[in-house]
Amino acid sequence: MSRARPPLPPKPPARPDRVSLWRHLQLFRRDILSSQPARLYRAWMAEFRTPFFRSYLVNQPDLLRLILRERPRDFPKSNRIREGLAPLLGNSVFVTNGTEWERQRRIIDPALEGTARLRAVFPQMRAAGLAASARLFAEARQGDAQGCRPVEIEAHTAHAAADVIFRTLFSIPITDRTAAAVFKAFRDHQRAQPLLNLAAFLPLPRWMPRFHGRRTRQTARVIRGLIAGLVEERRRVIAAGCAPDDLATRIMTTPDPETGSLFSPEEMVDQVAIFFLAGHETSASALAWALYLVALYPEWQERLAEEARAVLGQDEDFGFAAATRLKLSRDVFREALRLYPPVPMMVRENIRPERFRNRDIAPGAQIVLSPWHLHRHERLWERPDVFDPARFETENGRACLREAWLPFSAGPRVCPGAGFAMLEGPLILSILLRDLRFQPVENRSARPVAQLTVRAQSGLWLFVTPRYN
C-alpha cells in the first residue's frame, strides 16, 4: 500500500490574468501576493501600467545580476517604498540612497560582519533560543497528553526574535520593561500599518501630507520615543566608560572611516528602528514558517531533532562551533526562506534609459524584484512548489541558490544582517525541535499574505508537545 503524498505547502491563489486597474489596486492593498496573475511564476519580465508610472517585474537572472550587483547605483531604492514606512524608519539605512546610504553602511557593517562578530553575539542568541523553548515547553505542559491545546506559533517566534534583538543590541532580555514596551508597541504598529500608503501611487509633491493613519503615526511615535530613551541611556554609559560591548555600543562608537563622524542620536534611533523591523519581523516570519513546514513533514522534523540532539546535546552551554554544524537545520531554514521569503518584493527605480528584453524602460520606472515569484519560478527551480530541503545538494539547487534565491537581496545592498539571520534561524529551530514536537492543526488554514512581511492570514496554529518530561 503506497503512502499518501504529503500536501504541498500552502500558496495563495493567483488572480485572473486581466482585471481592471481599480480591482488590481483593491486586491493589491488587501494582499500583494494573491493580487498577482499566475503567469508571473513563468515570466522573465512583465509590465504593469498605471496612470502615473510604469512598473516592470523582473525575474530573469542576468537582469537581476545587472540591477543588484553590476550597476546598483543606476537602480536606487524607489522612494515610493519609504512613503508608508517613513513614520517609523525615518532616514534609516533601509530607505536611503547614494552618499547618505554609503556613509550609513560604512558605520554599520563593521558591527555585523565576520565570524568574530557572530561568535560574540552567539551567547545572547543561545539564551534567547533557550528562553523560547522554556516558554513553549511550559505552554505545552498545560495541554493534555496528546498536546490538544493549539498554539499560535507566530506569536512565539516574534517573541523569540525580539528577544534576540534586544539581547544582542542592548544587552537586555525581552523581559526588561522597556524592551517589552517596544515589543508591544511594535505589534500595535504592525496591526495599524497598511501594506501600502496612498502616496506610493500618486505623484505628490513633498510638501503635501502623506495620508498616514492616526494610529500608524501614534504607534510609530511611541516606538521611536522608547528607542530614543535606550539610545540616550547608552550614550550616558558610553561616556562613563562602562558600556557593554554589544551591537549598540559598537555602532554608536564607530566613526565613518572617511569623515570621522558618528551617528547622531536621531540617526541612531532610525537605525535601531530598522534593526528591529528587519531583525525581528523578518526572523519571526521565517522561523514560524520553518516550524510549520516541519510540522507538515514529520520525517524532516525527526531528522532535525536527531541532528540537534547529536550536535547540541541536552546541555545549555553548547558553543558557537556546535551551531555551525547544524547542516540539516540550515537547509530547512533555507527552504523555508525560499518558499516564504519574509520580504516578498523589493522595488528599485532606474535613473537613466534602459532596454530590457527589447523593451525601452524610461527613467523613473519602478523595477520590481520579487523573491516570492523568483523562488517559485517554474523555469528555474525543479518542483518549485514542493518542500524539499535536500534540493540544495543537487546541481539545480546549487545553481538556483546562486542565481534565484534572494531572501536578503544581493550585491552592495544585501541585508547587513544576513549572516546574523542565518545563524539565528537554524539555531533556534534546532533548540525548539530538540525539546519539543510540533504537529499541524486540522481545519486551521495557513494562507500566506503579505503584511509587513509574509505571514499567515489567520496565524500559524500548531500542537506542541514536550519530547521529554
Side-chain angles (χ1 to χ4, degrees), residues 7 46 50 69 94 119 158 174 214 223 225 245 324 380 401 408 410 414 462:
T50 78
R69 299 179 187 275
F94 183 75
R119 191 185 299 274
I174 193 65
R214 181 182 62 82
I223 294 168
D245 183 24
T324 64
L380 291 170
L401 197 60
F408 306 110
V414 67
L462 300 175

Side-chain angles (χ1 to χ4, degrees), residues 102-176:
E102 290 171 357
R103 171 182 171 266
Q104 290 171 341
R105 286 295 295 257
R106 288 196 298 266
I107 295 173
I108 291 169
D109 285 353
L112 296 173
E113 288 181 340
T115 302
R117 292 310 304 159
L118 293 178
R119 191 185 299 274
V121 300
F122 172 77
Q124 288 76 33
M125 284 187 185
R126 179 183 60 198
L130 293 169
S133 179
R135 285 191 300 271
L136 269 171
F137 193 93
E139 185 160 345
R141 292 292 297 271
Q142 295 175 16
D144 62 23
Q146 285 73 44
C148 294
R149 188 172 185 269
V151 171
E152 203 293 288
I153 205 65
E154 286 183 331
H156 282 273
T157 59
H159 197 154
D163 198 12
V164 170
I165 288 296
F166 280 109
R167 289 176 188 266
T168 56
L169 198 58
F170 286 106
S171 298
I172 55 177
I174 193 65
T175 51
D176 176 88

Side-chain angles (χ1 to χ4, degrees), residues 45 56 58 60 62-63 66-67 71 75 350 352-363 367:
M45 193 169 83
Y56 299 87
V58 176
Q60 188 166 304
D62 63 323
L63 292 178
L66 173 77
I67 294 165
R71 290 171 44 207
F75 300 93
N350 58 309
R352 68 186 200 185
E354 301 289 346
R355 188 165 178 82
F356 289 173
R357 294 186 60 81
N358 297 318
R359 297 192 208 186
D360 290 323
I361 314 295
I367 310 298

Side-chain angles (χ1 to χ4, degrees), residues 237-248:
V237 295
I238 288 173
C242 54
D245 183 24
D246 53 23
L247 295 180

